[in-house]
Amino acid sequence: MRRGKTRRDRTVESISLPPESLTDEALSLRSVVIPTSPKSLPRTLLIACGALAREILAIIEINDLTGMALECLPATLHNHPERIPEAVRAKVQAARSRGIQDVHVVYADCGTGGLLDQVCEEEGVTRIAGPHCYAFFDGLDAFASRSEEEIGALFLTDFFARQFDTLLWKGLGLDRHPELLEMYFGNYDRVVHLAQTDDPVLDAKARAAADRLGLRYVRRKTGYGELNDFVTRAASS
Amino acid sequence: MSDEEDDIVLSELSNEELVQQMHDDLYDGLKDEILEGVDILLGRGWEPYKVLTEALVEGMRIVGIDFRDGILFVPEVLLAANAMKGGMGILKPLLAETGAPKQGKMVIGTVKGDIHDIGKNLVSMMMEGAGFEVVDLGINNPVENYLEALDKEDADILGMSALLTTTMPYMKVVIDEMKAKGIRENYVVLVGGAPLNEEFGKAIGADAYCRDAAVAVETAKEYMAQRLHNQ
Ligand code: B12
């Protein structure tokens, strides 16, 4: 029965959460502004996918980068890439109207088929290179060179390992309809966990995810990969 | 589901009500109800082709619209497709016997490097529902697979699907190879997949980019009509 459901687009309602109060749930579902100290206007703003927030904050901290602020769009947009370009544009324009000139977009193409690049060009902002975050964590060349060997792989980053239930299992409706598993994953043979950090608890989660999908588990430590270079370069631009 | 809906007895509905109900059941991905509905309509003497187009294809068209508009997401579409597939399972052998209108033949597959197949499968099913014969090459297809199948099957249409920005350029590899072999003009080339757009379709030399399965069917029919006209 058609129930006249309408889509609630929550990408526009932002909430403000300091780094210590961030939750993966919020990063998945909400637009999150992450205030950084000092409170003065930041010199550089990163507009990112929520799936990258913790990693970006870690890079900022490790490299002691200053004058940077971070705003994230909900990671669930990943399943609706057609909404990403305009959501990013709105964030860029809002930042500009607050007087922040130096803006960088921490989104891969993410299935926008070049439309995000078009928006970045029109708005005069840079974007991290690559088709998706799996590729830039792994290293673009390394990822591409393994593409044939890993054709049957489902990739998980640390974030997706933590949010497997929300973004993948529930996102694909497998909680309600486990019978769809074969239609989704019938052609897959392994889960490749591209690990940003060494965390046994997270490894166990990723392995459990692979088990649930009936796939072999492979772990590959990537660290922050090319995200590290992009964020540190943005800081010195 | 409410109790009210549970009380509906399909066999007591008029033809018109039943078809409406089947659209709803398809929307809800209720395969058993679809199978029952198909049987009832056939039992009432409906031509298999009429059951297919009015109950199943039309229902799936509505699902497609709500998917495009963001009201339904992938799992609902998969469930609906599953239900329709069940119904088509009953109808297909009957269609072969009763001689439904034949539209043409399509070879379809997901391109090399890509194993997304939900959209492609949906297009295949809707094309079949519209009377096309479909040869599905599955996923991860190199150029040779397409060329071989086009030749062997004596197809009219080539359909290529890609869901990754990294794999969509491969469509151009296939089209360029067809040009090099001098066979490009023998086929209608349709391309689709979420990251593509019209501009991309033009740039790689496809005949058309199709946003969804319904557009694919319409476009394929138009090209087939043109082909007949030009023969
Ligand atoms: C479901 C899904 C999956 C499923 C696939 C299951 C399956 N059996 O196909 C799973 C979860 C397994 C998966 C895996 C991956 N996916 Co995926 N996936 C999606 C998702 C959410 C939906 C795609 C879909 O099935 N839509 C439903 C169908 C009905 O729609 P459709 O495919 O667009 O098809 C319609 C039209 O496009 C058109 N059409 C399609 N094909 C054709 C062909 C012709 C000839 C015609 C005329 C028309 C036509 O008609 C169809 C019906 O109306 C998209 C995001 C999105 N919203 O598009 C990401 C997405 C495509 N995936 C993506 C990625 C990155 C991957 C992975 C690498 C992720 C990972 N973690 O490992 C792997 C890759 C696997 C591989 N080697 O190919 C990215 C691509 C990013 C990019 N830069 O290209 C996307 C955009 C998500 C994202 N933002 O990151 N994925």
Side-chain angles (χ1 to χ4, degrees), chain A residues 1-2 109 151 177 183 187, chain B residues 28 66 78-79 115 117 165:
Chain A
M1 182 72 54
R2 306 182 67 184
D109 171 83
I151 180 82
H177 300 287
M183 286 176 93
N187 293 317
Chain B
D28 287 340
D66 276 10
L78 262 184
L79 287 167
I115 64 175
D117 63 1
T165 13

Side-chain angles (χ1 to χ4, degrees), chain A residues 41-45 95-104 124-125:
Chain A
L41 199 63
R43 194 172 43 79
T44 301
L45 176 68
R96 290 269 158 78
S97 70
R98 294 202 309 273
I100 306 172
Q101 289 311 321
D102 191 32
V103 180
H104 303 265
V125 295

Side-chain angles (χ1 to χ4, degrees), chain A residues 156 164 169 202-215 217:
Chain A
L156 295 179
F164 178 79
W169 197 256
L202 203 52
D203 292 350
K205 271 199 134 166
R207 189 181 289 276
D211 284 347
R212 266 165 100 183
L213 298 173
L215 303 174
Y217 174 73

Side-chain angles (χ1 to χ4, degrees), chain A residues 78-81 109-111 131-132 134 151 153-155 168 172 183-185 188, chain B residues 67 73-74 77 106 108 113-120 122-123 159-161 163-165 190-194 210-213 216:
Chain A
H78 155 104
N79 281 335
H80 302 278
D109 171 83
C110 205
H132 39 64
Y134 316 105
I151 180 82
L154 178 80
F155 296 94
L168 276 138
L172 295 175
M183 286 176 93
Y184 281 119
F185 291 100
Y188 288 74
Chain B
F67 175 65
F73 192 49
V74 184
V77 173
M106 177 189 221
I108 190 170
D114 206 328
I115 64 175
H116 288 90
D117 63 1
I118 297 171
K120 167 191 67 77
L122 200 62
V123 172
M160 291 188 278
S161 180
L163 266 289
L164 297 167
T165 13
L190 304 182
V191 295
C210 306
R211 192 184 57 206
D212 58 29

Side-chain angles (χ1 to χ4, degrees), chain B residues 85-107:
Chain B
K85 202 170 159 194
M88 279 182 72
I90 305 178
L91 294 172
K92 246 182 169 175
L94 303 175
L95 286 167
E97 284 167 26
T98 50
K102 285 223 169 29
Q103 296 275 2
K105 196 166 187 179
M106 177 189 221
V107 162

Side-chain angles (χ1 to χ4, degrees), chain B residues 9-15 18 22 33-46 51 90:
Chain B
V9 179
L10 294 181
S11 57
E12 289 172 1
L13 300 178
S14 70
N15 286 346
L18 178 55
M22 284 174 74
E33 283 76 356
I34 289 298
L35 297 181
E36 194 188 334
V38 167
D39 278 336
I40 296 172
L41 287 174
L42 289 172
R44 291 183 189 171
W46 276 40
V51 180
I90 305 178

